[in-house]
């Protein structure tokens, strides 16, 4: 057996379990450690009435980030503005829990279970109000969560195809922009018009879906333009092994173990998920941060595509000149 096939065999035997272990860690670890981590939660009512409630919540060290509000109206506004995931309002009739199931499928049930358990220990009942509910066609948010992986795959596929076909410079950028725009329109047509999973402005949702795809495809094609075909694997691996499981699509970023939740929001799948929730269910509240994150990914990716093309053209132009000087020297 020659040395080259032997090295390839060893590489396969080493890489296969390493990749499998990495994938299992990336997907299973956040799922197994799903719990609140400084989850923003509002508390509203007279200070004397809310003091005991706050003490009970603070017993779960590091679970909640308490925000104080004067009354139910202010707490409701905070939920709708995505400042908090929910709020407990202390009223003369008993505690009232404001939730937003559209903010994350795992958060509202957790808050309801936690607050109800505490109230039951005190012999009271909790009235729950879903301020921003998921659509009736997707009550548990499962269809919304399922849309993250296809978008990431579409972005990776677009970047790979552009690279494999040898498109460079402006042509590559045009192809990436066009493909991402079409993906956004198609995805909005399915998720909004057909399934009824999204309920916001149709064109805004299509733009967000397209920008999410462009952020991934630009990263894949851009890194490939700078470092070669290995760049496709690197960018695609980051998106699939970190971006998707750390996105918080099936729960919420603050329900993931740190630093997974923070890392996920800096990657296209996580930023795209958060932005899509904002424009579809919350009238664009808290959309600036994730929108800028996606815009930076898209801009850097397309810039890398143009830079890689320019460097390649410069290198190709310098080679004939060098050959000409060599021939002149020989002559």
């Amino acid at each position: 057996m020659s040395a080259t096939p032997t090295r390839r065999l060893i590489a396969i035997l080493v890489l296969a379990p390493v990749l499998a272990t990495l994938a299992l860690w990336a997907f299973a670890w956040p799922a197994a450690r799903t719990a609140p981590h400084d989850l923003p939660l509002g508390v509203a009512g007279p200070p004397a009435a809310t003091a005991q409630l706050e003490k009970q919540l603070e017993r779960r060290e590091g679970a909640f980030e308490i925000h104080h509000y004067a009354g139910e109206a202010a707490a409701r506004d905070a939920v709708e503005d995505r400042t908090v995931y929910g709020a407990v309002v202390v009223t003369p009739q008993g505690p009232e829990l404001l939730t937003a199931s559209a903010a994350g499928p795992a958060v509202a049930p957790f808050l309801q279970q936690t607050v109800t358990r505490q109230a039951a220990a005190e012999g009271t009942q909790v009235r729950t109000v879903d301020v921003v509910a998921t659509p009736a066609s997707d009550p548990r948010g499962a269809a919304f969560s399922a849309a993250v992986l296809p978008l990431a795959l579409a972005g990776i596929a677009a970047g790979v195809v552009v690279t494999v076909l040898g498109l460079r410079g402006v042509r590559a950028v045009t192809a990436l922009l066009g493909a991402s725009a079409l993906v956004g329109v198609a995805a909005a047509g399915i998720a909004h018009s057909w399934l009824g999973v999204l309920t916001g402005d149709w064109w805004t949702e299509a733009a967000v879906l397209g920008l999410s795809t462009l952020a991934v495809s630009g990263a894949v094609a851009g890194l490939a333009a700078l470092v070669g075909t290995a760049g496709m694997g690197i960018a695609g691996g980051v998106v699939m092994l970190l971006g998707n499981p750390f996105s918080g699509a099936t729960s919420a970023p603050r329900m993931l173990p740190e630093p997974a939740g923070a890392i996920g929001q800096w990657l296209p799948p996580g930023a795209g998920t958060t932005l899509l929730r904002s424009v579809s269910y919350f009238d664009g509240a808290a959309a600036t941060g994730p929108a800028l994150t996606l815009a930076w990914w898209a801009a850097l990716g397309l810039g890398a595509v143009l830079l890689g093309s320019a460097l390649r053209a410069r290198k190709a132009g310098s080679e004939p000149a060098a050959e000409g000087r060599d021939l002149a020297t020989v002559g």
Side-chain angles (χ1 to χ4, degrees):
M1 183 180 290
S2 63
T4 300
T6 301
R7 285 196 295 266
R8 291 176 179 174
L9 176 60
I10 294 175
I12 293 173
L13 293 176
V14 172
L15 287 177
V18 168
L19 290 175
T21 301
L22 180 60
L24 286 172
W25 166 78
F27 282 88
W29 172 54
R33 297 291 184 270
T34 299
H37 300 277
D38 291 325
L39 184 76
L41 178 66
V43 174
T50 60
Q52 183 62 30
L53 173 63
E54 290 184 43
K55 288 182 179 179
Q56 294 174 345
L57 293 173
E58 290 172 354
R59 290 175 184 173
R60 299 177 66 100
E61 187 175 354
F64 298 107
E65 179 185 281
I66 304 299
H67 295 243
H68 298 90
Y69 300 99
E72 180 181 353
R76 184 182 289 266
D77 289 342
V79 173
E80 293 175 345
D81 292 340
R82 303 203 73 181
T83 303
V84 294
Y85 281 87
V88 183
V89 183
V90 179
T91 69
Q93 294 75 30
E96 181 182 68
L97 174 63
L98 306 180
T99 63
S101 57
V107 180
F110 169 79
L111 291 178
Q112 188 172 5
Q113 182 181 14
T114 301
V115 176
T116 301
R117 184 187 298 117
Q118 292 179 355
E122 298 175 358
T124 59
Q125 293 184 344
V126 179
R127 176 174 173 263
T128 302
V129 179
D130 199 345
V131 178
V132 186
T134 53
S137 57
D138 187 27
R140 297 184 179 180
F144 180 94
S145 303
V148 175
L149 180 59
L151 283 178
L153 290 175
I156 293 172
V160 169
V161 169
V162 166
T163 302
V164 171
L165 292 180
L167 299 180
R168 299 188 181 92
V170 176
R171 287 186 177 181
V173 170
T174 302
L176 293 171
L177 288 171
S180 299
L182 292 175
V183 168
V185 170
I190 294 173
H192 185 121
S193 303
W194 178 33
L195 298 178
V197 173
L198 305 179
T199 59
D201 179 75
W202 196 95
W203 287 107
T204 303
E205 292 166 351
V208 170
L209 292 165
L211 181 59
S212 299
T213 305
L214 181 62
V216 175
S217 63
V220 173
L223 197 57
L226 291 178
V227 304
T229 54
M232 296 187 295
I234 296 172
V238 170
V239 170
M240 291 301 299
L241 295 180
L242 296 180
N244 274 329
F246 292 1
S247 66
T250 59
S251 56
R254 293 295 185 96
M255 295 291 286
L256 299 178
E258 290 298 341
I263 293 173
Q265 292 306 295
W266 284 102
L267 296 174
T273 298
T274 300
L275 181 58
L276 188 60
R277 289 192 193 280
S278 292
V279 302
S280 182
Y281 306 132
F282 293 88
D283 294 327
T288 302
L292 290 175
T293 299
L294 291 177
W296 272 110
W297 273 95
L300 291 175
L302 297 180
V305 170
L306 295 174
L307 177 60
S309 178
L311 293 175
R312 189 183 296 268
R314 181 178 180 181
K315 181 179 179 181
S318 64
E319 289 177 352
E323 292 177 359
R325 287 195 297 269
D326 293 339
L327 290 175
T329 300
V330 172

